[in-house]
Amino acid sequence: QDVEINVVDISVGAIKNGEMKAKRLNVPVNYQVADASSVGLDVNADVVVALHACGHLSDVALAHAVHRDAGFVICPCCYNSNPHLRVPSSTQIVSEWLGLPDNDWMALKLLAEVQGNFPLASKAIGVICALRAQAVEGKSGAK
């Protein structure tokens, strides 16, 4: 079965590097410089992969997976990054998409990035992951 790979990144440099590597490896990849939160949802996907999905970009990628009824692999980081991004297909802010009051969401993200208290940061990260999983389940009907 044919595999189609689509890459969306807001960084022109990252796209150019990817294009060069794909050409060198002779791997067919479709690249698009765009903001993932505003990309049209017309690309079919069986799996959505987001590596180094900074802050709210994790939720944007999850929303793309839900919209496509696709599996996903999301590697979140930098929890306070990209707070301007809205969840595609709903234009909700992330706290609304997660069903969490905005102040609670902001506090939770700060706790996830606490330096020097690994147990506290780990618990906050676990709660964020659980909230995201619950949002995906609620939006997709996944079991």
Side-chain angles (χ1 to χ4, degrees):
Q1 188 172 15
D2 290 335
V3 174
E4 183 177 325
I5 301 170
N6 296 288
V7 175
V8 176
D9 199 308
I10 201 163
S11 168
V12 173
I15 292 293
K16 288 186 184 292
N17 287 339
E19 288 172 334
M20 289 188 301
K21 186 162 193 160
K23 184 177 181 181
R24 199 170 50 247
L25 296 172
N26 196 28
V27 177
V29 180
N30 303 313
Y31 287 92
Q32 181 179 3
V33 176
D35 178 342
S37 67
S38 63
V39 169
L41 299 175
D42 58 351
V43 175
N44 255 347
D46 294 320
V47 179
V48 172
V49 178
L51 304 176
H52 194 65
C54 294
H56 293 193
L57 192 53
S58 295
D59 303 285
V60 168
L62 285 170
H64 280 293
V66 167
H67 181 77
R68 292 170 173 79
D69 197 24
F72 55 87
V73 177
I74 310 293
C75 298
C77 63
C78 312
Y79 292 90
N80 282 300
S81 295
N82 300 311
H84 64 284
L85 295 180
R86 293 191 171 267
V87 177
S89 76
S90 73
T91 67
Q92 290 179 307
I93 60 173
V94 170
S95 58
E96 290 171 352
W97 194 72
L98 294 174
L100 197 63
D102 199 45
N103 286 338
D104 292 350
W105 174 233
M106 291 173 65
L108 191 55
K109 292 185 300 178
L110 287 173
L111 290 172
E113 292 193 359
V114 165
Q115 302 295 311
N117 190 336
F118 183 74
L120 177 63
S122 293
K123 285 180 183 177
I125 290 168
V127 170
I128 290 171
C129 289
L131 287 167
R132 287 174 169 160
Q134 186 177 25
V136 167
E137 187 174 312
K139 309 272 188 276
S140 68
K143 303 287 179 218

